[in-house]
Amino acid sequence: MAVLCKLADPQAYVVSDWDLLADPVGRDYWIGHFTHHTETMLALARKQGLDEAPIKAFRQELLSELDFLRSDPAYWGPLTVLSFDRCRERLLRKHGIDDPYAQVKQAENHAAIGLYPDVLAELDALDGPGLIEALIRGVFAGNIFDLGSMATIENYHAEGMDFHATRERQPRRPWFVDDFDTLSDRLLNKPTYRHVLFFVDNAGSDLILGCIPLARHLARRGARVVLAANSTPSLNDITFPELNDVLDRLKGLDAVLANLLAEDRIATVASGCGAPLIDLSDISDACNDAARDADLIILEGMGRSIESNYHIVFTCDVLKIALLKDTEIAKRLNGKLYDQVCKFEQV
Ligand code: MG
């Protein structure tokens, strides 16, 4: 495992600046969140036909870990949101529960693949700033498929995932953090990026109708784009094998994408990670190799770009793009639920 070679100050790197040892209110919030959220995850595990015994054993052990934490906040050592994610994933594997979200990811991938040709046709009819804005709005709309946030889970169960409606409902600019004009100018009027490392987030519309069209656009303009996905499952995040499977299936629908893949203009890498947040001091060697000559890094989704790495400075350009899907996280940034963040930092 490696420290990302594009960190401006690797020694000072901290994955999350929300220190939950120093913030009892924040700590209680996250203990409560993981207590409630676990029930939604286990409901999916049951739907997949998993045995009740490991589910019960997992649940009991996780809840008792959270109880320990209530009485002794330093029980896990340093405490950030990532500590909770890591505990959950460790206990899931320990009890033989590999991926409670496997079926829902598959279903959402299937649905999004069905919409892909239409979304592409819409995008291919645009150009200039209008095209860039449509691509970014597509990332925002897709990113709402998030089964880690209680707000989006409720929304998902109430309405399902309707990419077009979600995209239409996205507030117009200016967004909450809005570096779009600089980004659009950089993408349209300056020399094209040569190598983009793109950390993707969720399965379904997020990847297929948001990230892949953006990656495809950058690759068509001349960049080599490496899509980095989690090595192991976590929530509804796309995993590396699932990402490759999706790209394989899209090839048949999109000759341009098929060409870009054949020419290695779009490639994939396993990030080495297995959480919704990303610890850039602990990524796979292959992912770090892909970063070496990157002149743009894209961190997509709230976990990768807001809950972790929001204030981190890089030695190449970086795009942090996400929706704020958690009330407490939004509050910390003085924003509100579903605010859009398009933070583009140039070196
Ligand atoms: Mg996610």
Side-chain angles (χ1 to χ4, degrees), residues 269-282:
V269 70
S271 66
C273 304
L277 280 66
I278 187 161
D279 181 350
L280 295 175
S281 70
D282 195 21

PDB file of all heavy atoms in Angstrom, residues 269-282:
ATOM      1  N   VAL A 269      -8.592   0.935 -12.191  1.00  0.00           N
ATOM      2  CA  VAL A 269      -7.638   0.468 -11.185  1.00  0.00           C
ATOM      3  C   VAL A 269      -8.393   0.255  -9.870  1.00  0.00           C
ATOM      4  O   VAL A 269      -9.378   0.950  -9.600  1.00  0.00           O
ATOM      5  CB  VAL A 269      -6.471   1.482 -11.017  1.00  0.00           C
ATOM      6  CG1 VAL A 269      -6.916   2.768 -10.343  1.00  0.00           C
ATOM      7  CG2 VAL A 269      -5.303   0.866 -10.260  1.00  0.00           C
ATOM      8  N   ALA A 270      -7.941  -0.720  -9.099  1.00  0.00           N
ATOM      9  CA  ALA A 270      -8.514  -0.940  -7.763  1.00  0.00           C
ATOM     10  C   ALA A 270      -7.786  -0.008  -6.798  1.00  0.00           C
ATOM     11  O   ALA A 270      -6.561  -0.003  -6.736  1.00  0.00           O
ATOM     12  CB  ALA A 270      -8.336  -2.398  -7.351  1.00  0.00           C
ATOM     13  N   SER A 271      -8.570   0.776  -6.057  1.00  0.00           N
ATOM     14  CA  SER A 271      -7.953   1.820  -5.217  1.00  0.00           C
ATOM     15  C   SER A 271      -7.219   1.249  -4.005  1.00  0.00           C
ATOM     16  O   SER A 271      -6.419   1.933  -3.392  1.00  0.00           O
ATOM     17  CB  SER A 271      -9.029   2.798  -4.739  1.00  0.00           C
ATOM     18  OG  SER A 271      -9.921   2.121  -3.863  1.00  0.00           O
ATOM     19  N   GLY A 272      -7.551   0.014  -3.652  1.00  0.00           N
ATOM     20  CA  GLY A 272      -6.977  -0.546  -2.426  1.00  0.00           C
ATOM     21  C   GLY A 272      -7.859  -0.275  -1.217  1.00  0.00           C
ATOM     22  O   GLY A 272      -7.572  -0.734  -0.114  1.00  0.00           O
ATOM     23  N   CYS A 273      -8.945   0.479  -1.427  1.00  0.00           N
ATOM     24  CA  CYS A 273      -9.782   0.905  -0.305  1.00  0.00           C
ATOM     25  C   CYS A 273     -11.073   0.094  -0.241  1.00  0.00           C
ATOM     26  O   CYS A 273     -11.465  -0.547  -1.207  1.00  0.00           O
ATOM     27  CB  CYS A 273     -10.121   2.382  -0.442  1.00  0.00           C
ATOM     28  SG  CYS A 273      -8.643   3.378  -0.574  1.00  0.00           S
ATOM     29  N   GLY A 274     -11.716   0.173   0.912  1.00  0.00           N
ATOM     30  CA  GLY A 274     -12.986  -0.532   1.089  1.00  0.00           C
ATOM     31  C   GLY A 274     -13.888   0.232   2.028  1.00  0.00           C
ATOM     32  O   GLY A 274     -14.471  -0.334   2.949  1.00  0.00           O
ATOM     33  N   ALA A 275     -13.994   1.542   1.789  1.00  0.00           N
ATOM     34  CA  ALA A 275     -14.866   2.384   2.623  1.00  0.00           C
ATOM     35  C   ALA A 275     -15.400   3.513   1.758  1.00  0.00           C
ATOM     36  O   ALA A 275     -14.843   3.815   0.706  1.00  0.00           O
ATOM     37  CB  ALA A 275     -14.081   2.950   3.810  1.00  0.00           C
ATOM     38  N   PRO A 276     -16.491   4.161   2.203  1.00  0.00           N
ATOM     39  CA  PRO A 276     -17.016   5.295   1.436  1.00  0.00           C
ATOM     40  C   PRO A 276     -16.086   6.512   1.499  1.00  0.00           C
ATOM     41  O   PRO A 276     -16.100   7.347   0.596  1.00  0.00           O
ATOM     42  CB  PRO A 276     -18.344   5.620   2.121  1.00  0.00           C
ATOM     43  CG  PRO A 276     -18.601   4.529   3.088  1.00  0.00           C
ATOM     44  CD  PRO A 276     -17.321   3.834   3.371  1.00  0.00           C
ATOM     45  N   LEU A 277     -15.330   6.635   2.588  1.00  0.00           N
ATOM     46  CA  LEU A 277     -14.313   7.692   2.654  1.00  0.00           C
ATOM     47  C   LEU A 277     -13.040   7.110   2.064  1.00  0.00           C
ATOM     48  O   LEU A 277     -12.886   5.892   1.974  1.00  0.00           O
ATOM     49  CB  LEU A 277     -14.045   8.110   4.105  1.00  0.00           C
ATOM     50  CG  LEU A 277     -15.067   9.087   4.728  1.00  0.00           C
ATOM     51  CD1 LEU A 277     -16.426   8.445   4.878  1.00  0.00           C
ATOM     52  CD2 LEU A 277     -14.565   9.602   6.070  1.00  0.00           C
ATOM     53  N   ILE A 278     -12.092   7.958   1.679  1.00  0.00           N
ATOM     54  CA  ILE A 278     -10.862   7.390   1.151  1.00  0.00           C
ATOM     55  C   ILE A 278      -9.643   7.976   1.858  1.00  0.00           C
ATOM     56  O   ILE A 278      -9.481   9.194   1.940  1.00  0.00           O
ATOM     57  CB  ILE A 278     -10.774   7.504  -0.384  1.00  0.00           C
ATOM     58  CG1 ILE A 278      -9.553   6.732  -0.890  1.00  0.00           C
ATOM     59  CG2 ILE A 278     -10.753   8.917  -0.874  1.00  0.00           C
ATOM     60  CD1 ILE A 278      -9.617   6.401  -2.354  1.00  0.00           C
ATOM     61  N   ASP A 279      -8.857   7.053   2.385  1.00  0.00           N
ATOM     62  CA  ASP A 279      -7.622   7.425   3.060  1.00  0.00           C
ATOM     63  C   ASP A 279      -6.505   7.405   2.014  1.00  0.00           C
ATOM     64  O   ASP A 279      -6.037   6.345   1.609  1.00  0.00           O
ATOM     65  CB  ASP A 279      -7.346   6.419   4.183  1.00  0.00           C
ATOM     66  CG  ASP A 279      -6.071   6.766   4.945  1.00  0.00           C
ATOM     67  OD1 ASP A 279      -5.323   7.661   4.493  1.00  0.00           O
ATOM     68  OD2 ASP A 279      -5.835   6.134   5.993  1.00  0.00           O
ATOM     69  N   LEU A 280      -6.111   8.599   1.579  1.00  0.00           N
ATOM     70  CA  LEU A 280      -5.133   8.681   0.493  1.00  0.00           C
ATOM     71  C   LEU A 280      -3.709   8.390   0.966  1.00  0.00           C
ATOM     72  O   LEU A 280      -2.780   8.401   0.172  1.00  0.00           O
ATOM     73  CB  LEU A 280      -5.214  10.050  -0.188  1.00  0.00           C
ATOM     74  CG  LEU A 280      -6.548  10.326  -0.902  1.00  0.00           C
ATOM     75  CD1 LEU A 280      -6.594  11.748  -1.454  1.00  0.00           C
ATOM     76  CD2 LEU A 280      -6.805   9.313  -2.022  1.00  0.00           C
ATOM     77  N   SER A 281      -3.573   8.073   2.250  1.00  0.00           N
ATOM     78  CA  SER A 281      -2.260   7.629   2.718  1.00  0.00           C
ATOM     79  C   SER A 281      -2.202   6.106   2.738  1.00  0.00           C
ATOM     80  O   SER A 281      -1.246   5.516   3.227  1.00  0.00           O
ATOM     81  CB  SER A 281      -1.954   8.197   4.108  1.00  0.00           C
ATOM     82  OG  SER A 281      -2.796   7.589   5.073  1.00  0.00           O
ATOM     83  N   ASP A 282      -3.246   5.476   2.197  1.00  0.00           N
ATOM     84  CA  ASP A 282      -3.306   4.012   2.256  1.00  0.00           C
ATOM     85  C   ASP A 282      -4.031   3.471   1.016  1.00  0.00           C
ATOM     86  O   ASP A 282      -5.070   2.839   1.114  1.00  0.00           O
ATOM     87  CB  ASP A 282      -4.056   3.609   3.538  1.00  0.00           C
ATOM     88  CG  ASP A 282      -3.851   2.143   3.880  1.00  0.00           C
ATOM     89  OD1 ASP A 282      -2.863   1.534   3.417  1.00  0.00           O
ATOM     90  OD2 ASP A 282      -4.706   1.593   4.623  1.00  0.00           O
TER      91      ASP A 282
END
